[in-house]
Amino acid sequence: QVQLVESGGGVVQAGGSLSLSCAASGRTLISVAMGWFRQAPGKEREFVAAVSWNSRSSSSTYYADSVKGRFTISGNNAENTAFLQMDSLKPEDTAVYYCAATRLYGLYYRADRYDYWGQGTQVTVSS
């Protein structure tokens, strides 16, 4: 069974930065993309960013408009890891952040495209 484990959440002041990491363990994970989603209290889970691997040396990234220019996603297909660098954080970025992996190509902004999910890590941005 594949498990995804997130780390790096915490509390930061508005304007600050945090880095999230995600690593897969257990059975060998074969994925074409990994993504980050978040869920704030009382709200639905929403897409944050995704990275897809087009080849061994090529990847593509995707971002929600709300984080474009502030967040940077990266990952390593061979190591089954994904990272989310979050800069210029805002109080509205406060949420539980989830890492996910998918074996399906395309539509990476849709949560139902992902096969594996982590347990989530809390990110709190104070004003």
Side-chain angles (χ1 to χ4, degrees):
Q1 186 173 354
V2 173
Q3 294 179 324
L4 299 179
V5 180
E6 304 98 335
S7 61
V11 180
V12 65
Q13 288 189 332
S17 300
L18 278 176
S19 296
L20 303 184
S21 299
C22 175
S25 63
R27 290 179 57 190
T28 300
L29 173 63
I30 300 174
S31 66
V32 302
M34 295 182 75
W36 289 93
F37 288 74
R38 67 186 182 187
Q39 187 166 17
K43 294 187 176 182
E44 294 187 352
R45 190 170 298 190
E46 65 174 1
F47 170 74
V48 175
V51 55
S52 66
W53 293 284
N54 309 318
S55 69
R56 288 188 178 182
S57 59
S58 174
S59 63
S60 298
T61 56
Y62 312 85
Y63 296 95
D65 288 343
S66 59
V67 306
K68 202 171 293 183
R70 301 188 298 121
F71 290 10
T72 304
I73 189 170
S74 61
N76 186 307
N77 188 17
E79 297 180 357
N80 292 316
T81 55
F83 308 94
L84 187 67
Q85 176 64 38
M86 304 184 293
D87 298 317
S88 302
L89 283 161
K90 305 175 181 179
E92 51 263 44
D93 293 320
T94 296
V96 176
Y97 283 69
Y98 297 90
C99 173
T102 178
R103 295 169 293 179
L104 302 175
Y105 286 100
L107 302 176
Y108 300 122
Y109 61 90
R110 285 176 46 174
D112 61 355
R113 300 284 288 181
Y114 290 80
D115 307 290
Y116 307 101
W117 290 85
Q119 294 298 309
T121 184
Q122 177 69 46
V123 170
T124 302
V125 184
S126 61
S127 57

